[in-house]
């Protein structure tokens, strides 16, 4: 018991420090310092180009963006999420390596195996890197779509959309249920892709990374990825936005206007939305009045509601979904069936 308690405390401390490590050393983090720095530079250029009346300094240091109740909840969630992942949710997290090993064993048992030589290793390494990026981005689009399309899942995804002011950390404002579900899907896919390449070409392939991140993810993030969750309206123009999600396109996704609902699910690539018919190009000027989920937004200003209300709401929806309908006679007389 003492050992378990000590381990839990240790993991809680490590988890609480994780956001600091993410900011300084983890290129996979969406609020990695370099992404934030380049994002600010891009936003400043766009602000200057459009000759906004308000100074860029005032916009960047806006108290509503950084110190509102919504923002404070963002900071709490970004600390609590890794703590929960390392403690109470640790049993639900999976590793990609066993999945990869299983795929390799299946291929080998079928007589499929291979190795690469120096002349093809680099090319195949790039192919693996690109495949992982595209598959990961596509599955994140699918998970995002399902969390919007399925009412029970939407109750959990409301946590992300209840942000009233967007800042760099809002990117990780997610309910633990969504974190686990999306991570499970993408981790399994990561293992399958790696296993397929290892089984076909051997284990000598190297993924191309920068700062620990897939090079393709690094490029999209350094080109304004951090600005997707910010109030800075940055567009890429219609030609590029048919392929790449711009910060402004994702801000439309967070708008509480009905005409913006269920648009631009994509993380990096816009092709998935284009194929699904959910793509909405940004245009030159913002048409967003506010962020959030309408009147319900104000209900998500406490951490208690953020973490526990989705369970109750989803359970009620599930109960009603499978509830046996009353006989017609009982409904007409106002009597309840037994």
């Amino acid at each position: 018991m003492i050992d378990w308690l000590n381990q839990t405390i240790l993991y809680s401390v490590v988890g609480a420090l994780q956001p600091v490590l993410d900011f300084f050393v983890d290129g996979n983090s969406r609020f990695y310092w370099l992404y934030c720095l380049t994002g600010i530079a891009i936003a400043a250029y766009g602000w200057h180009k459009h000759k906004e009346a308000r100074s860029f300094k005032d916009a960047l240091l806006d108290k509503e963006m950084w110190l509102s109740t919504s923002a404070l909840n963002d900071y709490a969630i970004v600390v609590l999420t890794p703590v929960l992942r390392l403690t109470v949710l640790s049993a639900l997290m999976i590793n990609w390596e066993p999945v990869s090993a299983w795929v390799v064993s299946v291929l080998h048992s079928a007589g499929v195996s291979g190795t690469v030589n120096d002349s093809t290793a680099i090319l195949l390494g790039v192919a693996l890197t690109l495949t992982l990026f595209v598959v990961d981005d596509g599955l994140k689009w699918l998970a995002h779509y399902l969390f919007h399309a399925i009412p029970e899942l939407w109750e959990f995804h409301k946590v992300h959309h209840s942000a009233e002011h967007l800042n760099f950390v809002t990117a990780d404002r997610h309910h633990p249920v969504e974190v686990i579900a999306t991570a499970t899907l993408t981790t399994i896919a990561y293992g399958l892709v790696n296993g397929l390449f290892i089984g076909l070409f051997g284990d000598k392939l190297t993924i191309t990374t920068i700062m620990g991140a897939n090079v393709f993810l690094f490029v999209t993030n350094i080109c304004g990825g951090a600005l997707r969750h910010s109030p800075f309206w940055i567009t890429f123009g219609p030609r590029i936005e048919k392929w790449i999600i711009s910060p402004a396109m994702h801000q439309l996704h967070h708008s509480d206007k009905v005409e913006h609902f269920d648009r631009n699910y994509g993380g990096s690539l816009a092709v998935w939305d284009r194929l699904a018919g959910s793509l909405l190009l940004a245009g030159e000027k913002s048409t967003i009045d506010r962020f959030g989920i309408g009147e319900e937004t104000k209900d998500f200003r406490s951490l208690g509601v953020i973490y526990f209300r989705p369970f109750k709401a989803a359970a009620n929806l599930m109960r009603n979904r499978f509830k046996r309908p009353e006989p017609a006679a009982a409904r007409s007389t106002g009597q309840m069936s037994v």
Side-chain angles (χ1 to χ4, degrees):
M1 180 65 180
I2 297 298
D3 289 342
W4 174 84
L5 182 60
N6 289 336
Q7 185 180 56
T8 301
I9 294 173
L10 176 61
Y11 285 170
S12 297
V13 172
V14 172
L17 293 175
Q18 189 64 49
V20 179
L21 296 175
D22 289 347
F23 177 77
F24 285 107
V25 302
D26 188 3
N28 286 297
S29 170
R30 287 177 286 188
F31 55 90
Y32 179 54
W33 71 269
L34 188 56
Y35 305 152
C36 294
L37 185 63
T38 56
I40 291 172
I42 292 170
Y45 171 77
W47 200 266
H48 174 74
K49 180 180 178 181
H50 291 93
K51 297 179 173 59
E52 301 286 351
R54 187 185 186 192
S55 75
F56 178 71
K57 179 182 176 182
D58 289 342
L60 180 63
L61 301 179
D62 190 325
K63 291 182 179 180
E64 289 296 322
M65 179 169 67
W66 298 111
L67 297 177
S68 65
T69 300
S70 176
L72 295 177
N73 283 332
D74 291 347
Y75 308 146
I77 292 170
V78 84
V79 171
L80 288 171
T81 296
V83 171
L84 292 172
R85 291 181 68 164
L86 290 174
T87 54
V88 296
L89 302 178
S90 60
L92 301 177
M93 307 306 297
I94 65 172
N95 192 300
W96 66 270
E97 292 180 339
V99 179
S100 177
W102 175 80
V103 174
V104 172
S105 67
V106 170
L107 290 174
H108 285 178
S109 65
V112 178
S113 64
T115 57
V116 297
N117 53 46
D118 293 340
S119 62
T120 58
I122 295 177
L123 182 60
L124 287 170
V126 173
L128 171 59
T129 305
L130 179 60
T131 302
L132 287 171
F133 170 73
V134 172
V135 170
D136 179 77
D137 195 72
L139 287 178
K140 285 179 178 176
W141 181 94
L142 176 62
H144 194 178
Y145 169 78
L146 292 175
F147 269 91
H148 275 260
I150 300 174
E152 289 85 351
L153 295 181
W154 168 243
E155 293 299 328
F156 294 97
H157 191 55
K158 281 180 182 178
V159 170
H160 185 65
H161 278 272
S162 63
E164 298 171 72
H165 304 279
L166 304 186
N167 63 75
F168 299 150
V169 181
T170 310
D172 281 359
R173 178 193 175 109
H174 293 288
H175 193 279
V177 167
E178 182 174 357
V179 172
I180 293 171
T182 303
T184 299
L185 182 64
T186 56
T187 300
I188 291 174
Y190 192 90
L192 291 174
V193 171
N194 271 284
L196 182 62
F197 271 79
I198 292 172
L200 292 176
F201 308 111
D203 59 359
K204 304 301 181 183
L205 297 182
T206 302
I207 299 173
T208 306
T209 62
I210 300 177
M211 305 297 183
N214 184 303
V215 64
F216 296 102
L217 179 64
F218 179 86
V219 170
T220 58
N221 278 338
I222 207 170
C223 293
L227 294 176
R228 294 185 197 119
H229 294 90
S230 79
F232 299 111
W233 184 261
I234 302 296
T235 68
F236 294 160
R239 290 185 179 180
I240 296 178
E241 287 183 347
K242 289 180 180 179
W243 299 96
I244 304 293
I245 295 289
S246 70
M249 291 170 70
H250 191 73
Q251 288 158 24
L252 286 172
H253 180 76
H254 276 270
S255 168
D256 74 345
K257 280 189 173 182
V258 174
E259 58 266 33
H260 297 155
F261 288 178
D262 302 325
R263 297 283 194 163
N264 300 343
Y265 297 109
S268 296
L269 302 178
V271 291
W272 318 115
D273 282 302
R274 187 142 54 94
L275 291 172
S278 54
L279 187 69
L280 178 62
L281 302 183
E284 288 299 317
K285 293 292 184 180
S286 173
T287 56
I288 298 172
D289 294 327
R290 57 184 176 269
F291 301 117
I293 49 177
E295 290 299 316
E296 200 175 357
T297 303
K298 63 180 183 296
D299 297 337
F300 285 82
R301 290 174 182 169
S302 79
L303 289 175
V305 171
I306 284 173
Y307 279 103
F308 298 111
R309 175 171 166 171
F311 288 110
K312 182 179 180 180
N316 287 337
L317 287 171
M318 186 70 71
R319 191 180 301 113
N320 291 332
R321 183 186 293 272
F322 294 102
K323 186 177 181 180
R324 186 172 62 181
E326 299 174 28
R331 288 199 301 271
S332 64
T333 61
Q335 297 174 344
M336 294 297 294
S337 60
V338 179

